[in-house]
Amino acid sequence: MPPTTTQAPLRAYRRLFALPGTRAFTAGNLMARLPSGMFGVSAVVMIAGARGSYALAGAVTATGLAATAVTAPWIARLVDRHGQARVAVPATVCAALGSLALLLCVHYGAPDWTLFAAYAATATTPNTGGMSRARWAHLLAGDPAALHTANSFEQAADELCYMLGPVLAAFLCGTFFPEAGTLAGAVLLLTGTLLFTAQRATEPPAGGGSTGGAPLRAPGMPAQLAVCLALGAVFGAMEVVTVAFADDRGHRSAAGVALGLQAAGSCLAGLVYGALGPAGPAARRLPWCVAAMTALMTLPLLAAALTGSMLALSGALLVAGTATAPTMVTNMALVQQRTPAGRLNEGMTLAVTGLLGGIACGSATGGWVVEHLSPTAGYGVPVTAAVVALVISFARRTG
C-alpha cells in the first residue's frame, strides 16, 4: 500500500532521526537555542522595570547585538579549527556568566555602564544552530535530498524558538520575578550546550589543518551576505512596525500574537518544504523563493491600509510567513555550498551576522517611518527590503 499524504512527509524526517545520535544532539541543541528568543525580552523587562527606562534597556540590548556581530565569526572560526566541544563549552560558560552578571548588576543597582559590559559578555554565545547544521552536513554528505530535509528542520526549529522564546520569557518575568527570564535562559543555554557537545560521535572533525580561504572572500559569498542583510531588514522592520501598528490601534498586546502567527506560518512551511525535497540547484531556487516572499510581504501592507484591522493583519502575517522558511533554507544551502571546506560554521555564522545586522537596520528604519509617517506606511519598509533581496538574488542566480 502506498504511503498516505500524511505519512510521506513524516517518512523524510523519520529517516533523519533514525541515524544514531541525531535525536540526542537535536534535543540538546533545541534546549540551547531556545534562550536566543528569551534573552532580549528578558533583559528589556528586567532593566526597564528596575531602572524605569526603556531607552537604557534598548541601548543595552543593542550593544549586545553589536558585540555579537563582532565576536560570533571569531567564535565560529575557533569552532571550525578546534572542534565544537572544545570551544562551545567555555564560550557558553562565559556567556552564561555574562547573563548572571547582568542580573546581579540590575538587582543590586550597579552603575549603568556595568549593564553594557555584562550584556556584551553574552556575545560569546556560540551559534548552536550553525553547529547543528554542520553536524547534519557531516552526517549526510553525498545525500543532498536528506540534507535539504535536515536544513528545513533546522529552519523550522529556529522559527519555533523565536516564537516560543519571547512568550516564555514574558511569562517567567511576569509570573515569578523580573530576573526569572534571564536566569532560566542562562540555565537552558548551559545545560543544552553541555548535552549537545556531549554527543561526540556526531561531531564533525575539527578542521585545524584546513587550507580553505576565508569564507568572506569565497566566490559568491559577498552577494550572498548582502541578501542576508536585506532579509534581516525584512524581519526587523516587520517586528517594529507590527508593534507600533497594534499600539496605534489600542491592542499592543496583540502584536506578540500576530508575530507569533507569522513565525508559525514559517515553521509549518519549512517542515513541508523539507519533506518535498529540493527542486533544482539552490542558486536557481533562491530568486524564486525571494520573489514569492516579496509578493507575500505586500499582504500585511494591504491589510493595514485597506482594513486597519488587527485580525486581518494577523491573517496576512500568517500567510506572509509561509515564504520565510523556504527562502531561508535555500539561502543557507547556498551559504553552505559557497563556504570553503573546513570553515562551514564560520560561513554560516557570517550569514547569521548579516541577518542580525539587517534586523538592526530594519528596526531602525521601520521605527523612523512609523514615527515620521505612520504605522501603516511602515509596512512599506519590509516590502522594500524584500525587493532589494530579490534584485541581488536575481543578479547572482548564475552564481
Side-chain angles (χ1 to χ4, degrees):
M1 180 180 294
T4 65
T5 305
T6 304
Q7 290 173 332
L10 291 177
R11 189 167 60 182
Y13 290 99
R14 287 198 194 102
R15 283 183 58 206
L16 291 182
F17 295 107
L19 296 174
T22 55
R23 295 184 183 184
F25 86 68
T26 297
N29 186 266
L30 288 176
M31 185 181 297
R33 209 185 305 187
L34 182 60
S36 62
M38 297 175 61
F39 282 133
V41 173
S42 298
V44 169
V45 172
M46 182 172 62
I47 296 170
R51 303 294 171 93
S53 173
Y54 279 98
L56 175 61
V60 170
T61 55
T63 298
L65 184 64
T68 298
V70 174
T71 307
W74 175 67
I75 296 293
R77 192 177 306 127
L78 292 176
V79 167
D80 285 330
R81 185 174 301 168
H82 302 291
Q84 294 183 355
R86 288 183 63 188
V87 176
V89 172
T92 299
V93 169
C94 180
L97 290 175
S99 294
L100 294 178
L102 176 67
L103 185 155
L104 294 173
C105 289
V106 172
H107 185 76
Y108 290 104
D112 288 351
W113 68 265
T114 63
L115 308 186
F116 291 90
Y119 202 69
T122 65
T124 61
T125 303
N127 179 11
T128 50
M131 290 192 297
S132 186
R133 287 176 171 91
R135 291 197 180 213
W136 287 118
H138 169 64
L139 294 172
L140 301 173
D143 191 346
L147 183 58
H148 169 80
T149 302
N151 285 334
S152 299
F153 171 80
E154 291 297 327
Q155 185 60 40
D158 280 340
E159 300 293 343
L160 184 65
C161 290
Y162 280 112
M163 179 173 59
L164 296 180
V167 175
L168 178 59
F171 170 77
L172 292 173
C173 293
T175 304
F176 298 101
F177 47 90
E179 300 87 354
T182 299
L183 182 61
V187 172
L188 285 171
L189 175 63
L190 184 57
T191 304
T193 301
L194 290 174
L195 289 174
F196 175 77
T197 54
Q199 314 308 313
R200 302 302 291 268
T202 55
E203 181 178 348
S210 173
T211 58
L216 190 58
R217 292 194 292 270
M221 277 293 281
Q224 203 59 42
L225 296 179
V227 171
C228 292
L229 191 69
L231 293 177
V234 173
F235 308 142
M238 187 65 77
E239 182 174 348
V240 170
V241 173
T242 298
V243 172
F245 183 86
D247 193 25
D248 185 62
R249 294 299 185 275
H251 301 290
R252 188 171 189 177
S253 60
V257 176
L259 292 170
L261 286 173
Q262 182 186 10
S266 179
C267 180
L268 292 173
L271 293 173
V272 173
Y273 187 66
L276 294 177
R284 287 210 295 264
R285 280 185 283 129
L286 182 62
W288 299 109
C289 288
V290 179
M293 183 179 186
T294 303
L296 291 182
M297 282 297 157
T298 63
L299 295 180
L301 174 61
L302 293 174
L306 298 178
T307 71
S309 164
M310 277 303 300
L311 183 61
L313 176 66
S314 298
L317 287 171
L318 175 65
V319 176
T322 59
T324 301
T327 301
M328 292 302 300
V329 168
T330 308
N331 181 64
M332 292 304 291
L334 264 179
V335 170
Q336 290 182 21
Q337 292 173 15
R338 290 170 172 168
T339 299
R343 304 186 72 165
L344 183 57
N345 198 65
E346 182 181 352
M348 288 189 289
T349 300
L350 284 172
V352 172
T353 301
L355 287 168
L356 291 175
I359 289 172
C361 293
S363 298
T365 305
W368 187 92
V369 172
V370 164
E371 185 173 339
H372 290 83
L373 298 176
S374 70
T376 298
Y379 282 108
V381 177
V383 175
T384 303
V387 170
V388 172
L390 179 62
V391 171
I392 299 171
S393 60
F394 263 110
R396 294 295 306 176
R397 62 185 171 183
T398 58

